Structures are given as structure tokens and as C-alpha cells.
């Protein structure tokens, strides 16, 4: 039983991990590429962790939940990383498909006298 | 596996040597970093390869890999970091004093 | 014990004179005299035993593993020398008190003198040949200091350096000889070596040993061609010359020859080498002395000559020769010391030592005249004085020997006579030119008798000369017999010391010598002219200097060639050499793979390997884009961490990961100050050369690693694995090794880490700025701000967890420390240096210190349970709620590690963080 | 008394939970150590918490969390679909500009995170005065609707939870 | 059955890592490289999880946790460096 659950979760996880990197690979500009890893990969990992938990539940080592700590952790950090990267991309005027809102510029002007 | 590790060590070493022979401080430091990766791997590998046999003693007879090189390398990694920091400081200092980051202090 | 004291008293006394000199020069002199006198008394206490043929021994282990023991023994010969060293030492101390002028630092002088005395005593008393060598070198060094006592004088410094160079080199030869001897005999104990004479002379190593020993001895006792340092050592204050070059330093060489006589003598090689060198030295020295205008120079050459004479006597391989040699050692010590002191007095009272300026002093210092005259007579071998007796014995021996040799043997007595003649001639010159003749009026000072006590030492010595000379058998024969017995290892057959042996060849030779001397002296101007025509100014000093200069120039050229100031070039040289050496080793030693079964490589491993290779190659080839290179290096680091995990090294993986991120931050901080791009400047040629070098090196390492991994392993780690839990109380063997088995290494390593951190801090302290920065969104984006603050407690908990589990699961002080450091660094990055450091409870220096102290004290604590440093003690405590919980002292040690790591890492990173980018164009 | 022991109860609870997760046990020992850490760590890290979290209406969590979790899964499904099917030239990426009502920093941060984790949006920038959030949207048919959606779905509950 | 899925999992993760590596080396922007590195870290965790399922060993938990944390810190360091030269101002 637990094997079956494990297998399912592994497959889901593998799928999302793959999709995440695929997005990183094929999207046209940085901002679009940003989406794949921050979402899909995170979820994919979550499901792989679930797979591990399910698997451990089946073995003698018994039920374990600490793996969820990693998930939780990623849910905190992934947005921060994404934000920081997007931010720096904006500041450095990395070219993007999406039209760059004028608001950002004047607000950076006042923001960063340096 | 042995072949992979050995060749891997070789490649990293080669890159490390090549970079340490560069003319600017930063590549040299990167080269030293690579070299320390290679050396650490090499030292561990002298304990021979053992898969899924970490040196954590369990009940029941279980094969363990050689812990001694690991203990050696663990401190080596940390010291390696200190070394990197120190070399970097020298690089910064040299850059400030000489206005150039050429290892010979002159363009 | 007493024996050891004899050596230690002078050495321990070193401290006294410099201290007591504040209480006046006399006090200082007393301070030097007391230990000497005490040692002399101790020696006297042992004398009876020795005279009855006994040997006093004492031994303490020093470095038994090396066969080096503090072993001393006192036999007849040792007694004689120790007596000379201490006795004459006392006289010299008294003499120097009056000789040295007000502005000479007297404390230093006596300290050096005592040091030298102790070293000499060590030589003559040690029963371990290695110990002997140690003291031998000590004499070289202390004599260097004594000769260079007048630091302000260039000639003194040069003379000292020359003496040190020559005798020091000789000492090294002696060391080699000592080791060879120990190897041949199987023991470094001197008495054992002396007893094993036949073994040594039989062994194939005999010639090398003999050569090395003689090199040591000849350099020390200034035998031709190593004589040249002695005259230049005359730049020393006269008391030093009187001491070093009459009784002690130069005699050490003779002592060595005599001491090892039983071990090495009796062979043709010995006879030829020692006799010929001795003879040559005797004649050369005597000849040289004849034309010296400096009193001390004259005495120096005469010393050389007499040392040659003694050497020759020991070379003859006959018992009588040995007796004569020992006898002349005594006599020479007495008359030469007194002569030096007289010369000193003359110098002291007239202000010059130049024979050409001196003259007619008999009117001003009659007593000194008499003393000098008697001493000189003794040196010349005039009857009724001790020199005569030993010279007679010498002549006798030579004659006997020449009869034995036949063939060109007659040369021996001829040269002996010439030597005697010359020595008589310069003795005559010494006395007559100085005290008689008419005044030259060229004296810097108005001469007069020296202070009373300055003359006392001379008088004592002269008394000995006369007594021995008149009633030898009463005065000296027992001493002589005992001493000779010490050399020969058996009591010598009875010999007669008498003034009158009837008309025989030796007597004729003496008469010839004396008569010829007078004749030569009166023809001295002619002789001088002849000398100047035949011998152009050619001095040993010249060769020495030129050799020295040559060596220096050569090494300069070599250095210049190796290091032209280009670091890049040096690195190439170093790595190239390493590659070549390794290749040589690999080719000769063989790097063929072993028999060990290979581990299967699953697909993921191959993939990871491939990525690693790609990333590495990119780092190497595209390093000009520094940011890319940095990121790619990060990939390599991550993959190597994965490898560690896969080959079951979890601890390493954890460490690698943490270090990886801190180094990344570090490099970024540096990149902030350094240029962002690397210019393309290397020529293709150079790139190719480096590439080839790199590939060669990498290939070599790969082959080596493969060979290592495939060969079977028998590791000492079995012990660690077995004793980890019962002995170290931890399941994580790596951690137990770190904090327990090899705790001392770890202690050293964290110390290094702390030092490195402090150096980093100090080196760029001047450029470090922490100004408060406005808390704008641009500087401290809110997302990161809040995110990092949420992370902080989380990381803290993880740190605690990793630390506590470290002893039994992957983790421990190092890793926990790194995690904590990372947590801190995150704060720095999110909120800036200023904001963060405002909120820090303490700074990092106490942290590092506390860490090291904790670790250290934990180690010391294990002494309380008298087990070795850093032995872990642990116990299982059953806490009420928590359940079975283990407390190991190792945990405390690990805490020390933790603190040190945190402190060091954050200190370094924050210091880098305070660096401002340089203003361009600087 | 308790208030003085736990100046920052949310944080302390957080620490306790983390610890129990780490040691993977709900035994008394784990709880004890966890509580001790809950006592110590907030004290050590006090300086770094200029302003602390107060849950005004904790029960909001029970409605918010499920919504978010569900949206995350949905988001990924959607993104996955786009990644796999949509051709690059058909993408309609835009930058959304969201004026914030919520001022409480943690709330704003949470909002930004949630936005990043949910349908095709990544928050990439706060304005200088931190009153506006710039969000990149991978594929946006109608901007105003998207903005409104975000504000109703997440900002309101967060406001309720932490402010007013 | 589990073994098969494990292989699929490995294949997927490896493929993902390969793509990341490509993005990391190809760029074009520095942000792309950093993002790729970050993703690579997360994929590494996935790899470790799969391995530990394969070996039925839980010892790799710490490693996974640490990679998550360090990956994050590394990423924000690189990102902050890019966004604004100074890392700790």
C-alpha cells in the first residue's frame, strides 16, 4: 500500500520537477523563466518529500514528519529568492517581453539616490 | 565508480592548476578553491569507496567506510575556507596598494 | 651527580655576572669565580678515585630513542683537562678583572666565558659521543661570541665569523663521524666505542670515520690548512686568547685526537695523516711566527706550531709518543697562557703590541720581563723549564721513529730540529725585541708595572713551569701517568722524567736548535728580506674570503634565476617541478591499478559526473566572466557535496555545503572591490603551456587516485570503529575522531582558524567602514528583511539540533558553527553591517577566545582524571523526563570548536563586508 | 508572568514546533527541550525582531491556509499546462501594479510570498514607500481582474489576521 | 514497481538538472544563472530523497535540509550582489 502511494508521489514529484526546469529552459525572457522553478519545482519537491514520508511509514523506521520541515522551509524561501532575483532583474533593466511599467523607473529614481 | 571519481578528481585538478597559473588574483583564488575540492575528494577516496556505509555505528554487523580520511578532510575543508579568506585579503590589499590585481603587482 | 654539577655549575653561573655587575666589577668577577672554584673543588674531591685508576661515571637518559644520553665519565685524561680548564679559567677570570677597561661590559664577558667553560667541560667529560658533539658546537658558538666580544671592531667580527665558520664546519664533520661510529659500534657510549677499537679499524667505514674525525679535530686545533682562523681570532681581548688558544678551544681538537686514540689509532692511515699534518703544521707555524710583528700574532702562530707538534706526537702510534703529547699539552697550556697574559700586560701598559715599536721595557717592568723571559725560555725548550722536557721526549720519539721507518725517515728528526730551531728563534725575538734593545720612543703610553693582581696569574703559571722543569718526576709524573693511562686505557709502563739523559741524539738536536736559533736571530734582517722575496703575501684568510664571496655570489645568482619577482613564474616552476617529480615517481614506482573489486556506477552518478566535468571546464575556459566562473564553481562545489553523500561521507557533505555558501558570499564581497572582468592578456603560447601542465597534473592525480582506490586497504580505522562507542561514547565515528581520538589535531586546527580570522581582520582594518545606511527598500528589500528574520530562529534551532546530535549522527561543532555563521551572515546581508552589529550581544574576539579556551580546558580537565590530554570522559545520565541522555566531555570540546568557528567565520565575512569599492584611478 | 517568560509567544511556539519536527518525536523530552529553546532563542534573537507578530484573529488562518494550499496546487497545474503547451509567442506576460492596503510588514511579506506561490504570478518589487507591489504575471488575459482577485483572495484575510 | 518509478524519478531529476545546467552556462542574464543554480540546489535535494528511498536510509535528511538552507542563502547573496553591488551595506 505505502509502496503504491510512494510511487504515485514520486511520479507527481518527478513530473513537476521536470516541468519546473523545462520552464526555466524554454521560456523567452528571464521574468517568465522565473515562474517555473519557483512554483513547479517547489511543489515537485514537496511531493517527493511526501513520497519519502509514505515510504518511511512502510518501513520499520516508522512514521516520520520531519521531512515536511524542508517543504515548509522551501515555501518560505522560494518566494524570497524569486523576489530578490526579479528585483535585481528589474533594477538592471534586463530585457523582458512584458512592457516595463513606467512607475518603476521614477520610483527607483527617488528610491536610490546613490 | 572508481573511474568516475578518479577522472573527476583529475579534471578538477587540471582546471585548478590552469587557473592558479592565471595572471589575476581572482582566477587564481578560484583555482585554489577547485584544487581544494579535488584534494579533499582525493583524500576521502584514499579511504576507498563504500556506498551507503557511512561511519555511523549501528547495532548489528554493518560495513562502514573508513572514517579517518573523513575526519581529516572535514577540518581540511574549514581550514581551506580560512585559507581562501586569507588569500582574498592579500588580493584586496595588493589591489589597494598597487592599483592592480595582477599577481605580480604590475600589469 | 657531582659530575653533572661540574658541567652545570659554570652554565648555571652564566646569569650571575651580568646581574652582579651592577654591584661593581669586582663583584661580577667574584660571581664568575665562585661557580668555577666550586666546580674545581668538586673535581678535586673526585681526583683520588681517579688517581687510584678508577673511573667516575654518571648518566641520565635524555633522548634514549636517539641513543643520546646525558652520560659523563671522568678518567685520568678527563681529569687533567677539566683541571686545566677550571684552573686556568680561574686565573683568566682574575686577570680579566684588571685587563678589561671601564667601558667594556664586564658582565657579558664573564657570562660568555662561563658558557664557554661549561661547554669545554662538557666535551672533556661526556661519555656519549653525540653529547660530545653537542658541547663541541657549543664551544664553537660561545667562542664566536667571545672572539667577537668587541662588537664595534670590524676585525673582531670578521675573526669571530671566520672561527665560527671553520670550527662549525668541522663540528658538522664530527657529527657525521659520531653517527658513523655509533653505527659501526652499535652504541654511542664513548667508553664502548673506545673499547671497540679493533672493530672500527677493521670496518670498511674506518677511512671515512677517520677522515671526518680528523677534519673536526684539525679545524678546531688550527692544523694546516685550517690554521688561518686562529691568527684572526687574536682580535679577541687578550684574556680570551690566553684562555681559548692556550688551554682550551684549540686543545679541544687535540683532546679529540687523544680521546679517540684507542678507537682509531694504530693504523698506517692514522700514522701518515696525523704525523704529516702535525709536522707540516709545526714547521709552518713556527716559520710564520718568526716574521710576525704583532705580539699576539707571533703567539698565535707559535700556538699553531706547538699544536702541530702535539698532533704529530699522537700520530706516532707509540706509547711514549702519547705520554710526550699529554706532557706537552700541560706544558704548552702553562707557558702559552702566561705568555699571552704577559703580552696582554705589555699591550695594556704600553698601548701597543707591535714589536717594532716596543723595546727596552726591562727598565719599566722588570718583573714582567722575568716572567715573560722564563715563559719564552720554556717555549723555546731551554733546560730547567718544563718545555725542555717535553721537547726532549719529542726529539727522542722522532729519532726512534725515524730508525723504525728507515728510508726517508731521517726527514722526521731534521724537520723536528728545524721546528725547534725556529720556535727557539721567535721566543728569543719575543723577549729580546720587547724588553732589551734600546727604546724606540714610539710608545703611545708611558709604560710601568701592571696592577699587583694582574700579574698574579702569570706568576702562578710561571711557578708551575719552573717546578715542573726542575723536579719533574716529583711534580708531574703521577698526573702524567694517570692522564696518559686515560688515553691508552691502561697504565703506561714506567717512564723517567729527568733533566739529564746523557749525551744522545736528542740532546744534540736541542743544542743545534738553540744555537741555530741564536744565529738566526742575529741574522734576522737578512732572513726577513729572504722571506719577503720568496713568499708573496698569500694568506689563508684570502682563500677563505674568496671562497665565502664566491658562495654568496653563486647563491645570489641562483636566487635571482629562480625568483625574478614574478609570482606567476614561481607558481609555474613549483607546479612544474611537482609534476615532473611525481611523473618520475609514478614511472619508476608504478601506478598500476590494484586488485580491489570495482564499485558499480549507477546512471545518476554518471550524469552527475558529466555535469561536474562540464561545469569545471567552463570555469576554466570562461573565467574571464568572473561572475559566471563563481556560479559555475558553486555548481562544482554542490556536486562534490553530492559525491560525498553518495560515497557515504555525510559529515563532509554537510561541511562542504556550508563552507560552499560562506565562500560564495566571501568571493562576492571581494568581487565587490575587485574588477568584475579578467582581461584577456595571456599569450596563446602561455595558455598552451599552462594547459599542458594542467592536463599533465590532472592526469597524474587521476592515475594516482585510481591506483589508490583499486588497491586493497588495511586501515588503522578498525580501531576507531571498534572503540568509538565504548571508548568515545559516540556513534558518529568521524565526530568522535575529531573531538576525542585526534582531538589534539582539531585543537590545533581551530587555533589556526582563529589566527587566520584575526589576520584577516587586522590586514584590512584600515579600509573597513561601518556607516549607518538609510533603511530604504533599495538597500534592504522588505521581502529579504522579513524573510531573513523568520529564518533566524529556524536556523538557530537547526544549529542546536545539528550540534547536539553531532556525537551520534552527522553533524557536530564544525557544521553547527558554520550554520550559525550563515544565519548571522544572512542578517548582515538583509539588514546591513551597521544595523546588525548594533544588535549583536557580543563581538567576535571574545567568542574566538572563549572557544579556544573551552576546548583547551576540556583537554586539561582530562588530566584531572590523570588520562592523557583531551581524553574524553563520558557518562550516561538518566534525566527524569528527557530519558537516557549522554554527557561526554567531548561535547564541551565540541562547544569550543563551535564558538571558534562561528566567531572566526563571521568576523572574516563582516570585515570583508565593511570594505568599500576603491575609487577608480587609484 | 508567562508574558515575561515568552515576550514573543508566536516565535516561541514556532521554535517548539520546529524542534519537535526536527527530532521527529512528540515525547516529553522533545517538548521539554523545545520549550527551553522556545525560552532561549527568542531572547537571543530579540534584537533582530524590531516589530513582532500579533495574531489579531487567529481563526482566519483556518480559512486562509486551505485556500492558499489549494491555490498552490492549482497554480502549479496551470503553470505546468502553460509550460507544456503554450508557445512562447502566445504568452501574454505583464507587470501588475498592486496598491497595498496592508501596512503590517509581515503581512505584506506574507502576501508577496503567497502571490509568488499562486497562479502564474511572481512578486518582484516593492515601491520605495512600500505601498505598492509590482508583480510579474506569466500569462494575463485581464489585469484589473487579476489585481482585484489577489486583493480579495489574500490581502483582506491577511489584514484581518494581523491588523485593525 | 517502486524500482521502476524510482528509475523514472531519477531520469526526470537528472533531465531537470541537465536543463538547469544548460541555463546556468548559457545565461543570457546573470539572473538566469543564479536562478538555475538555485533550481539545481532544489533538484539536488530531490536526487538525495530518491537515493535515500533507494537505500532505505534516513541519514540523508540533514543533508537535504542543509542544501535547502544553503541554497537559499547562496541565492539571495548572489541576487543581492547583482541587484546592488554592495552585499552588506
Amino acid at each position: 500500500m505505502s509502496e503504491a502511494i510512494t510511487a504515485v508521489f514520486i511520479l507527481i514529484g518527478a513530473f513537476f520537477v521536470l516541468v519546473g526546469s523545462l520552464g526555466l529552459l524554454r521560456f523567452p525572457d528571464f521574468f517568465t523563466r522565473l515562474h517555473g522553478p519557483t512554483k513547479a519545482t517547489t511543489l515537485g519537491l514537496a511531493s517527493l518529500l511526501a513520497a519519502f514520508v509514505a515510504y518511511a511509514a512502510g518501513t520499520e523506521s516508522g512514521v516520520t514528519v520531519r521531512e515536511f520541515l524542508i517543504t515548509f522551509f522551501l515555501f518560505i524561501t522560494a518566494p524570497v529568492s524569486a523576489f530578490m532575483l526579479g528585483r535585481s532583474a528589474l533594477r538592471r533593466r534586463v530585457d523582458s517581453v512584458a512592457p516595463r511599467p513606467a512607475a518603476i523607473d521614477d520610483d527607483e529614481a527617488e528610491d536610490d539616490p546613490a | 565508480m572508481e573511474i568516475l571519481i578518479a577522472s573527476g578528481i583529475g579534471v578538477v585538478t587540471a582546471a585548478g592548476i590552469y587557473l592558479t597559473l592565471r595572471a589575476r588574483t581572482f582566477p587564481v583564488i578560484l583555482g585554489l578553491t577547485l584544487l581544494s575540492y579535488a584534494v579533499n575528494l582525493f583524500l576521502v577516496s584514499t579511504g576507498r569507496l563504500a556506498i551507503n556505509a557511512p561511519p555511523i555505528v549501528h547495532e548489528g554487523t554493518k560495513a562502514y567506510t573508513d572514517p579517518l580520511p573523513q575526519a581529516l578532510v572535514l577540518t581540511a575543508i574549514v581550514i581551506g575556507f580560512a585559507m581562501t579568506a586569507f588569500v582574498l585579503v592579500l588580493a584586496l590589499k595588493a589591489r589597494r596598494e598597487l592599483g592592480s590585481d595582477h599577481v605580480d603587482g604590475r600589469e | 651527580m657531582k659530575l653533572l654539577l661540574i658541567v652545570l655549575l659554570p652554565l648555571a653561573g652564566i646569569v650571575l655576572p651580568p646581574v652582579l655587575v651592577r654591584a661593581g666589577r669586582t663583584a661580577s668577577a667574584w660571581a664568575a669565580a665562585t661557580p668555577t672554584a666550586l666546580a674545581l673543588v668538586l673535581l678535586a674531591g673526585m681526583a683520588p678515585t681517579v688517581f687510584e685508576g678508577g673511573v667516575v661515571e654518571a648518566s641520565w637518559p635524555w633522548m634514549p630513542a636517539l641513543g643520546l644520553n646525558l652520560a659523563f665519565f671522568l678518567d685520568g685524561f678527563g681529569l687533567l683537562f677539566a683541571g686545566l680548564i677550571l684552573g686556568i679559567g680561574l686565573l683568566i677570570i682574575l686577570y680579566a678583572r684588571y685587563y678589561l677597561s671601564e667601558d667594556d661590559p664586564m658582565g657579558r664577558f664573564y657570562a660568555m666565558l662561563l658558557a664557554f667553560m661549561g661547554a669545554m667541560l662538557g666535551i672533556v667529560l661526556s661519555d656519549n659521543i653525540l653529547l660530545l658533539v653537542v658541547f663541541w658546537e657549543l664551544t664553537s658558538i660561545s667562542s664566536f661570541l667571545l672572539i667577537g666580544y668587541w662588537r664595534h671592531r670590524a676585525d673582531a667580527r670578521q675573526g669571530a665569523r671566520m672561527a665560527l665558520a671553520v670550527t662549525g664546519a668541522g663540528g658538522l664533520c664530527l657529527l657525521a663521524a659520531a653517527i658513523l661510529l655509533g653505527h659501526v659500534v652499535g652504541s654511542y657510549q664513548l667508553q664502548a666505542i673506545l673499547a671497540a677499537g679493533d672493530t672500527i679499524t677493521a670496518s670498511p667505514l674506518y677511512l671515512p670515520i677517520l677522515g671526518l674525525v680528523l677534519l673536526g679535530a684539525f679545524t678546531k686545533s688550527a692544523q694546516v690548512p685550517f690554521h688561518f682562523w686562529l691568527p684572526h681570532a687574536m682580535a679577541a681581548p687578550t684574556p680570551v686568547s690566553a684562555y681559548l688558544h692556550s688551554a682550551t678551544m684549540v686543545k679541544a681538537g687535540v683532546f679529540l685526537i687523544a680521546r679517540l686514540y684507542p678507537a682509531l689509532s694504530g693504523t698506517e692511515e692514522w700514522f701518515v695523516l696525523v704525523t704529516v699534518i702535525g709536522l707540516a703544521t709545526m714547521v709552518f707555524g713556527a716559520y710564520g711566527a718568526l716574521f710576525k710583528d704583532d705580539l699576539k700574532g707571533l703567539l698565535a702562530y707559535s700556538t699553531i706550531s706547538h699544536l702541530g707538534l702535539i698532533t704529530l706526537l699522537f700520530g706516532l702510534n707509540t706509547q711514549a709518543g702519547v705520554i710526550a703529547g699529554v706532557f706537552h699539552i700541560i706544558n704548552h697550556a702553562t707557558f702559552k697562557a702566561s705568555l699571552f697574559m704577559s703580552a696582554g700586560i705589555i699591550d695594556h701598559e704600553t698601548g701597543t703590541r707591535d714589536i717594532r715599536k716596543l723595546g727596552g721595557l726591562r727598565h719599566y717592568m722588570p718583573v714582567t720581563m722575568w716572567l715573560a723571559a722564563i715563559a719564552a725560555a720554556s717555549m723555546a725548550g731551554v733546560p730547567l723549564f718544563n718545555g725542555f722536557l717535553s721537547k726532549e721526549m719529542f726529539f727522542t720519539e722522532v729519532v726512534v721513529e725515524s730508525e723504525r721507518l728507515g728510508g726517508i725517515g731521517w726527514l722526521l728528526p731534521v724537520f723536528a730540529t728545524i721546528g725547534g730551531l725556529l720556535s727557539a728563534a721567535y721566543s728569543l725575538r719575543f723577549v729580546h725585541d720587547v724588553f732589551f734593545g734600546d727604546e724606540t720612543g714610539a710608545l703611545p703610553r708611558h709604560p710601568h708595572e701592571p696592577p699587583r693582581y694582574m700579574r698574579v696569574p702569570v706568576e702562578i703559571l710561571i711557578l708551575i713551569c719552573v717546578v715542573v722543569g726542575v723536579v719533574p718526576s716529583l711534580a708531574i709524573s703521577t698526573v702524567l701517568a694517570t692522564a696518559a693511562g686515560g688515553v691508552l686505557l691502561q697504565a703506561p709502563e714506567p717512564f723517567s722524567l729527568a733533566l739529564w739523559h746523557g749525551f744522545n741524539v736528542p740532546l744534540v738536536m736541542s743544542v743545534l736548535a738553540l744555537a741555530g736559533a741564536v744565529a738566526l736571530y742575529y741574522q734576522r734582517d737578512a732572513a726577513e728580506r729572504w722571506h719577503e722575496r720568496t713568499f708573496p703575501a698569500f694568506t689563508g684568510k684570502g682563500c677563505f674570503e674568496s671562497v665565502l664571496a664566491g658562495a654568496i655570489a653563486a647563491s645570489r645568482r641562483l636566487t635571482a634565476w629562480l625568483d625574478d619577482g614574478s609570482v606567476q613564474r614561481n607558481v609555474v616552476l613549483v607546479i612544474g617541478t611537482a609534476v615532473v617529480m611525481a611523473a618520475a615517481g609514478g614511472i619508476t614506482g608504478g601506478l598500476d591499478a590494484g586488485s580491489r573489486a570495482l564499485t558499480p556506477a549507477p546512471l545518476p552518478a554518471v550524469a552527475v559526473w558529466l555535469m561536474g566535468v562540464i561545469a569545471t571546464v567552463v570555469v576554466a575556459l570562461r573565467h574571464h566572466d568572473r561572475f559566471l566562473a563563481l556560479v559555475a564553481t558553486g555548481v562544482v562545489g554542490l556536486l562534490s557535496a553530492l559525491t560525498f553523500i553518495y560515497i557515504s561521507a555525510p559529515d563532509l557533505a554537510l561541511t562542504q555545503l556550508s563552507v560552499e555558501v560562506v565562500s560564495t558570499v566571501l568571493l562576492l564581497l571581494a568581487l565587490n572591490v575587485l574588477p568584475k572582468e579578467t582581461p584577456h592578456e595571456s599569450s596563446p603560447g602561455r595558455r598552451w603551456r599552462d594547459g599542458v601542465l594542467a592536463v599533465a597534473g590532472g592526469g597524474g592525480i587521476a592515475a594516482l587516485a585510481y591506483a589508490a582506490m583499486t588497491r586493497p586497504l588495511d586501515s588503522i580505522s578498525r580501531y576507531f570503529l571498534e572503540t568509538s562507542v565504548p571508548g568515545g561514547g559516540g556513534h558518529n565515528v568521524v565526530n568522535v575522531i575529531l573531538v576525542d581520538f585526534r582531538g589534539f589535531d582539531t585543537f590545533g586546527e581551530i587555533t589556526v582558524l582563529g589566527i587566520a580570522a584575526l589576520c584577516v581582520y587586522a590586514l584590512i582594518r584600515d579600509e573597513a567602514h561601518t556607516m549607518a545606511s538609510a533603511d530604504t527598500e533599495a538597500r534592504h528589500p522588505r521581502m529579504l528583511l522579513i524573510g531573513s528574520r523568520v529564518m533566524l530562529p529556524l536556523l538557530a534551532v537547526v544549529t542546536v539540533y545539528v550540534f547536539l546530535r553531532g556525537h551520534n549522527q552527522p553533524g557536530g561543532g564544525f557544521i553547527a558553527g558554520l550554520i550559525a555563521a550563515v544565519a548571522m551572515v544572512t542578517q548582515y546581508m538583509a539588514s546591513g553591517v551597521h544595523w546588525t552589529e548594533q544588535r549583536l550581544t557580543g563581538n567576535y574576539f571574545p567568542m574566538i577566545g572563549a572557544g579556544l579556551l573551552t576546548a583547551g580546558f576540556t583537554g586539561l580537565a582530562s588530566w584531572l582524571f590523570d588520562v592523557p590530554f583531551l581524553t574524553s570522559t563520558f557518562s550516561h545520565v538518566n534525566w527524569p523526563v528527557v530519558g537516557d541522555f549522554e554527557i561526554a566531555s567531548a561535547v564541551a570540546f565540541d562547544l569550543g570548536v563551535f564558538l571558534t568557528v562561528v566567531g572566526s567565520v563571521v568576523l572574516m565575512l563582516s570585515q570583508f563586508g565593511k570594505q568599500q569599492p576603491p575609487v577608480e584611478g587609484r | 508572568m508567562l508574558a515575561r517568560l515568552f515576550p514573543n509567544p508566536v516565535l516561541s511556539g514556532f521554535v517548539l514546533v520546529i524542534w519537535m519536527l526536527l527530532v521527529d518525536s512528540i515525547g516529553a523530552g522533545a517538548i521539554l527541550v523545545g520549550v527551553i529553546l522556545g525560552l532561549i532563542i527568542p531572547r537571543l534573537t530579540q534584537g533582530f525582531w524590531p516589530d513582532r507578530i500579533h495574531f489579531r484573529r487567529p481563526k482566519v488562518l483556518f480559512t486562509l491556509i486551505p485556500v492558499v494550499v489549494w491555490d498552490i496546487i492549482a497554480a502549479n497545474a496551470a503553470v505546468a499546462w502553460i509550460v507544456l503547451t503554450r508557445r512562447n509567442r502566445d504568452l501574454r506576460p505583464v507587470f501588475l501594479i498592486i496598491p497595498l492596503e496592508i501596512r503590517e510588514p509581515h503581512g505584506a511579506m506574507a502576501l508577496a510570498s503567497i502571490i509568488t506561490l499562486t497562479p502564474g504570478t511572481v512578486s518582484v518589487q516593492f515601491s520605495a514607500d512600500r505601498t505598492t507591489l509590482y508583480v510579474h504575471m506569466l500569462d494575463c488575459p485581464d489585469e484589473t481582474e487579476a489585481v482585484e482577485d489577489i486583493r480579495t483572495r489574500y490581502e483582506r484575510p491577511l489584514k484581518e489576521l494581523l491588523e485593525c | 514497481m517502486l524500482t521502476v518509478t524510482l528509475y523514472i524519478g531519477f531520469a526526470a531529476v537528472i533531465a531537470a538538472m541537465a536543463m538547469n545546467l544548460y541555463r546556468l552556462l548559457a545565461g543570457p542574464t546573470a539572473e538566469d544563472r543564479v536562478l538555475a543554480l538555485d533550481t539545481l540546489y532544489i533538484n539536488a535535494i530531490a536526487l538525495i530523497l530518491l537515493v535515500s528511498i533507494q537505500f532505505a536510509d534516513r541519514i540523508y535528511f540533514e543533508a537535504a535540509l542543509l542544501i535547502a538552507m544553503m541554497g537559499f542563502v547562496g541565492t539571495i547573496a548572489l541576487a543581492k550582489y547583482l541587484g546592488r553591488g554592495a552585499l552588506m551595506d
Side-chain angles (χ1 to χ4, degrees), chain E residues 4 10 18:
Chain E
V4 181
F10 274 123

Side-chain angles (χ1 to χ4, degrees), chain C residues 352-375:
Chain C
T352 179
R353 296 190 324 228
D354 188 330
I355 295 181
R356 287 162 304 185
K357 291 191 186 149
L358 293 163
L361 288 181
R362 66 179 183 285
H363 307 302
Y364 304 102
M365 34 180 77
V367 185
T368 315
M369 176 198 82
W370 279 112
L371 297 172
I374 294 170

Side-chain angles (χ1 to χ4, degrees), chain D residues 123-141:
Chain D
S123 41
V124 288
Q125 171 89 287
F126 278 98
S127 67
D129 53 6
R130 289 174 176 157
T131 58
T132 322
L133 178 62
Y134 299 97
V135 174
H136 184 269
M137 193 156 185
L138 179 56
D139 182 58
C140 174

Side-chain angles (χ1 to χ4, degrees), chain D residues 140-156:
Chain D
C140 174
D142 173 0
E143 305 192 13
T144 49
E145 187 212 354
V147 173
E148 197 43 46
D149 187 35
I150 289 173
R151 301 184 73 167
T152 48
R153 240 179 130 71
Y154 312 117
E155 190 177 12
R156 296 268 153 69

